[in-house]
Amino acid sequence: MKINTWFIILIGLLLSFQASSQSLEQLENEKKQLNQRIKNANALLVSYNKQKTTSIKNINLLNLQIKDRERLISIYEEEIKVLESDIRTLEIEIDETKEKLEQLKMQYAKLISETYNNKKRYNELSFFFGAESFNEAYRRYSMLKEYNRFRHNQGVLIEKNAKELDNSYLLLNTKLKVQNNALNSVKTQHEQLVSDKSAVNRKIQDLKRKESSVKQDIRKQKRALKKLEDAIVKVIAEMSKEKVEPSDFHLAKGQLSWPIQKGIVVSKFGEHQHPVLKYVKVNNNGIDIQSTSDNTAKAVFSGKVTRIVPIPGYNKAVLVRHGRFLTVYANIEEVHVNPGQNVTKNTNIGTIYDGKGENSGVLHFEIWEESVKLNPEHWLLH
């Protein structure tokens, strides 16, 4: 194998390692996010268990937790596949490097043997003066030195790369063992979670036996959301008659700060199946975020407070205008802003309701573009 070919193989190997390391880095980042969500959900579930009651939030959180853990297991499996592929590539390259190294050692041994045998006939000095001319002698000497230096440098380079590949192989094997151990740990946790879900399912059956009460709660929530929607539509109608102030809100998609410091989305945007009554569907114009730290709601972008509306079942709702966009913060117990007030990003909107009931500690958050409801999760920073 020529040295140029070997160099090309090394470059290809390095590029493949770089690509796999980038892939692993992305998976590691997703793992961190999932682990944080699981940690937050655990804290909330512990709090719910202390209350010794089963709520829709409890069920939603548990389902989200199971989904996150399943994805976490999938990530570990993806990482292991990447590492196994790297190991297979390394094994091939290590074998080729060792074979090349053995060939060089044999060549060196042959060269030493030939040099020893030649010394019986002449030494290096006689070889130098045995040339027909000085130029020929110099060329002989230079070629011999260059050849020896090339052999030595090539041997050192390949031996160095062989050591590096061996070290990489050991490192990847170590990583693989760690990942396998972690995967087993996560699977164990998932089994425990499935067991916990079975226990909660028994409580779901209790809720089903109280179907009339559950239906009544659904009707109350629908009435509250309808009143909130009517208030928003009214504001939108008034906005259409007013001059639209310029705003860069449209440029912030995917970059908006969260309206609470830490939280978990316990009810997503749009129409979805009710977690207890399988034949009932619920529709959400925004998202419900369960707070996992303090209960302060914050503005996600600069704008002007347009309305503060009392909503039975959702306490108060604060509507903030950003040009042709509206952000809505509902279930606020104590409002800290006033109508007409200009707010900036992270301005304290108010305190989220923290009493008894299904909506305790939950912020209902919506985004509208004129009369169009938008999915807030597409706008918030992930």
Side-chain angles (χ1 to χ4, degrees), residues 248-306:
D248 292 332
F249 189 92
H250 63 287
L251 300 176
K253 189 172 183 178
Q255 300 298 320
L256 291 178
S257 61
W258 280 66
I260 60 177
Q261 185 177 356
K262 291 181 181 179
I264 298 174
V265 176
V266 292
S267 180
K268 292 184 175 292
F269 175 82
E271 188 178 74
H272 46 272
Q273 193 77 44
H274 190 274
V276 175
L277 306 177
K278 297 303 180 184
Y279 53 89
V280 175
K281 290 187 177 181
V282 294
N283 190 51
N284 196 343
N285 290 340
I287 58 175
D288 294 333
I289 310 172
Q290 175 72 59
S291 173
T292 58
S293 56
D294 63 54
N295 281 346
T296 302
K298 298 180 179 180
V300 298
F301 200 82
S302 58
K304 179 182 287 188
V305 178
T306 303

Side-chain angles (χ1 to χ4, degrees), residues 229-244:
E229 183 175 356
D230 290 343
I232 293 170
V233 170
K234 184 177 179 181
V235 169
I236 290 171
E238 293 172 355
M239 284 170 50
S240 64
K241 301 175 184 177
E242 301 173 358
K243 181 180 178 181
V244 178

Side-chain angles (χ1 to χ4, degrees), residues 288-330:
D288 294 333
I289 310 172
Q290 175 72 59
S291 173
T292 58
S293 56
D294 63 54
N295 281 346
T296 302
K298 298 180 179 180
V300 298
F301 200 82
S302 58
K304 179 182 287 188
V305 178
T306 303
R307 290 285 187 281
I308 298 173
V309 186
I311 307 291
Y314 274 98
N315 291 279
K316 297 183 183 73
V318 179
L319 282 59
V320 180
R321 182 177 177 180
H322 319 269
R324 67 178 188 272
F325 291 87
L326 273 178
T327 53
V328 181
Y329 311 78

Side-chain angles (χ1 to χ4, degrees), residues 172-237:
L172 285 175
N173 264 319
T174 301
K175 279 188 175 182
L176 185 56
K177 290 178 182 178
V178 171
Q179 295 295 75
N180 275 322
N181 290 336
L183 178 59
N184 291 333
S185 176
V186 172
K187 284 183 176 178
T188 300
Q189 293 177 39
H190 182 263
E191 289 171 2
Q192 180 61 49
L193 191 61
V194 171
S195 174
D196 292 343
K197 186 180 179 183
S198 297
V200 173
N201 281 338
R202 290 193 293 271
K203 294 183 179 181
I204 290 177
Q205 297 305 316
D206 292 338
L207 285 180
K208 284 184 177 180
R209 285 191 284 271
K210 302 173 185 176
E211 186 173 322
S212 59
S213 175
V214 174
K215 285 183 176 179
Q216 186 177 359
D217 290 340
I218 292 173
R219 287 193 292 270
K220 285 181 181 178
Q221 186 178 34
K222 282 185 176 180
R223 285 196 297 269
L225 290 175
K226 182 63 170 63
K227 185 169 183 179
L228 177 59
E229 183 175 356
D230 290 343
I232 293 170
V233 170
K234 184 177 179 181
V235 169
I236 290 171

Side-chain angles (χ1 to χ4, degrees), residues 85-102:
S85 175
D86 286 347
I87 288 174
R88 286 193 296 270
T89 302
L90 275 171
E91 286 174 337
I92 294 171
E93 296 301 332
I94 288 170
D95 289 342
E96 290 184 357
T97 304
K98 288 181 177 179
E99 183 180 348
K100 181 67 176 179
L101 194 58
E102 288 301 318

Side-chain angles (χ1 to χ4, degrees), residues 57 221 224 288 290 313-315 331 352-363:
K57 288 189 302 181
Q221 186 178 34
D288 294 333
Q290 175 72 59
Y314 274 98
N315 291 279
N331 201 30
I352 303 168
Y353 171 72
D354 191 25
K356 294 182 179 180
E358 188 68 31
N359 288 332
S360 178
V362 175
L363 175 69

